[in-house]
Every structure is written in C-alpha cells, then in structure tokens.
Amino acid sequence: MPSPTPDPVAVIGASGALGFGLVVRLARAGVPIMIGSRDATRAEDTAERARAVVPEGSFAAHDNRGAAGAANTVILSVPFRNQADTLTDLGDALSPGQLLIDATVPLAATVGGKATRMLGVWQGSAAQQAFEMVPDGVRVVSALHTVSAASLSDLEHPLEQDVLICGDSRTDKREAASVIERIDGLRCVDCGRLEMARTTEALTALLISVNVRYKIHAGLRLTSLPDSLWA
Ligand SMILES: NC(=O)c1ccc[n+]([C@@H]2O[C@H](COP(=O)([O-])OP(=O)(O)OC[C@H]3O[C@@H](n4cnc5c(N)ncnc54)[C@H](OP(=O)(O)O)[C@@H]3O)[C@@H](O)[C@H]2O)c1
C-alpha cells in the first residue's frame, strides 16, 4: 500500500533563508507546503524557486494568513524584529489546536547589533513571546535554531545533526518531531519546557561564532542519547 501523503505544513517567511531551506527539504520528503509571504508575488516567486529545486514537490503560494489557515502545522521563520508584527498580522488566522513551530532567534543583529550576541526578551525567549501572542489553544514549540539555512538549502549536503525542541507538552513536541524528522538526517531531541528555549535560541549565536572562525555551517550532535527518543 502506498504510504499516505503527509499533512501539509505552512512556512511563514518561506522566502527567507531558513524558510526556503525548510520548504525544499520538507517538500523533498513528500510534505505538501503552504508558502507564506507578506507579498503575494513573493510567495509565487518562492513557489517557482522551490519547484525548480524539487520538481516533484507540492507547493501552494499564499499570503501569511492564507498559509497559516491552510495547514495544521505552521513554522514561523522570520527575523526577531518582525516576529511580533507577523504574529499580530496572523491573529485569528491561527486557530486552537494548530501547532506553531517557532524558529525565531532574538539575535542582536536584528536591531543592528552583533550576530554573536543575543537580545534580552521580556518573556524569556522568542518562543515564549510567540506563546504569549498566539490565540488561546494554539500549541507552541520551539525548534530548528541550530540548523543552518545554507545546509538545508543545499540538498546534497548531509545534515546528520540534532534539532533541539522545547515545549510544555510532550505530545506537541513529539508531533513537531514527527514533522521535522521527515527531513533526512535530522534527529529531534526533547530539551524540556518552553522556558528552555532561552538557552536553545542562544546556541544560534554560538554556532554563528564557530562558523565565522572555521568558515563552515556547523550543526549540533548530542552524545549518549538512547536509540529511541520519542517512545
Ligand atoms: N538563517 C539561518 O541559518 C537560521 C538558522 C536558525 C534560525 N534562524 C532564525 O530563523 C528566522 C528566519 O531567519 P532567516 O535567516 O530566514 O531570515 P530572513 O531571510 O532575513 O527573513 C525571513 C523572512 O521573514 C519575512 N519577513 C517578515 N517580516 C519582515 C520584515 N519586516 N522585513 C524583512 N523580512 C520580513 C520575509 O518574508 P516575506 O517578505 O516573504 O514576508 C523574509 O523572507 C530568524 O529569526 C533567524 O534568527 C535562522
């Protein structure tokens, strides 16, 4: 029996570096993608770009609200300085029961500072800010901060790395992991409650610092974990 088509995933910020990398990797894994952009033409252009990379992929272009309304799982991949505006704009396009995977990193670079420094966020992390802003009942997990956009976009690049997931519900984290692990080479690790996102988000700054020194796109791999992480 053919394996069932996976549920669609919406990517808000799909035209950006990380968003596009996720779009093409997930599409190659057979996931139908709802491409979200603030601009309809940019959404169409992004879908065209993605089709050129993954001709067998399924891509639908939307504005951000349309994309968010068209999938149960929504990945938020916008710069920190635009996270609040984007979530305000999404508003009731998100509904209770949906899963928001927040990849936002509060890097100082987003307000003109250094990319190796973090901004303080009143709520503790970008993910906690997202949780505060989404409608009640929208489930929020934090993930993907240590996965490089450049590595994702290069489909020939073997990923073989961990994705650190934080959230207050084990079920929600498992659901997010089941989407993310469709991407070959990514292993998801439960890192604890959403408040731990403050630490996992900061690892992006650390990796940027390493990348600059070694001229690479480093990822993370944790050791000594059991074979089955989501049983
Ligand atoms: N790049 C990486 O390797 C990486 C890795 C891990 C985590 N992250 C985090 O993931 C998020 C996205 O990173 P990125 O590098 O993909 O960012 P980016 O390329 O600069 O932007 C992503 C998208 O955000 C949207 N956006 C919404 N409001 C915007 C505004 N006012 N100005 C500009 N763009 C706006 C844009 O899409 P539309 O114009 O189509 O709406 C843009 O294409 C960030 O929080 C980043 O820290 C990035």
Side-chain angles (χ1 to χ4, degrees), residues 13 15-18 37-38 42 77-79 82 103-105 144-145 147 149:
S15 63
L18 182 68
S37 171
R38 293 166 299 164
R42 198 152 47 245
S77 177
V78 298
N82 312 117
T104 315
V105 182
L144 294 163
H145 308 99
V147 185

Side-chain angles (χ1 to χ4, degrees), residues 12-22 35-40 42-43 46 49 62 64 76-83 85-86 102-107 110 126 143-152 201 204 207-208 211 217:
I12 307 300
S15 63
L18 182 68
F20 190 75
L22 292 168
I35 287 182
S37 171
R38 293 166 299 164
D39 179 87
R42 198 152 47 245
T46 303
R49 256 198 310 143
H62 296 273
N64 283 335
L76 182 63
S77 177
V78 298
F80 176 71
R81 69 174 179 280
N82 312 117
Q83 186 204 34
D85 284 353
T86 304
D102 181 60
T104 315
V105 182
L107 288 173
T110 66
L144 294 163
H145 308 99
T146 59
V147 185
S148 125
S151 303
L152 283 169
E201 289 171 6
T204 306
L207 288 179
I208 290 170
N211 290 345
H217 300 291

Side-chain angles (χ1 to χ4, degrees), residues 56-193:
E56 73 278 18
S58 164
F59 306 99
H62 296 273
D63 63 16
N64 283 335
R65 288 177 59 86
N72 188 53
T73 303
V74 179
I75 299 177
L76 182 63
S77 177
V78 298
F80 176 71
R81 69 174 179 280
N82 312 117
Q83 186 204 34
D85 284 353
T86 304
L87 286 169
T88 302
D89 177 53
L90 286 179
D92 61 5
L94 290 169
S95 38
Q98 275 184 294
L99 180 68
L100 183 82
I101 302 176
D102 181 60
T104 315
V105 182
L107 288 173
T110 66
V111 292
K114 285 192 172 185
T116 48
R117 291 182 185 165
M118 301 292 292
L119 293 169
V121 183
W122 183 262
Q123 293 84 346
S125 63
Q128 288 166 288
Q129 174 166 280
F131 178 75
E132 205 173 89
M133 294 195 66
V134 295
D136 285 350
V138 174
R139 301 168 296 142
V140 175
V141 300
S142 161
L144 294 163
H145 308 99
T146 59
V147 185
S148 125
S151 303
L152 283 169
S153 302
D154 175 3
L155 293 183
E156 301 308 314
H157 183 95
L159 294 172
E160 303 310 329
Q161 59 189 270
D162 290 339
V163 174
L164 310 180
I165 301 196
C166 306
D168 291 339
S169 155
R170 172 86 172 164
T171 309
D172 297 348
K173 286 181 278 190
R174 186 187 290 116
E175 193 175 316
S178 73
V179 173
I180 293 167
E181 287 186 346
R182 286 189 178 276
I183 299 177
D184 216 20
L186 295 186
R187 177 182 70 167
C188 291
V189 180
D190 184 349
C191 291
R193 297 184 69 89

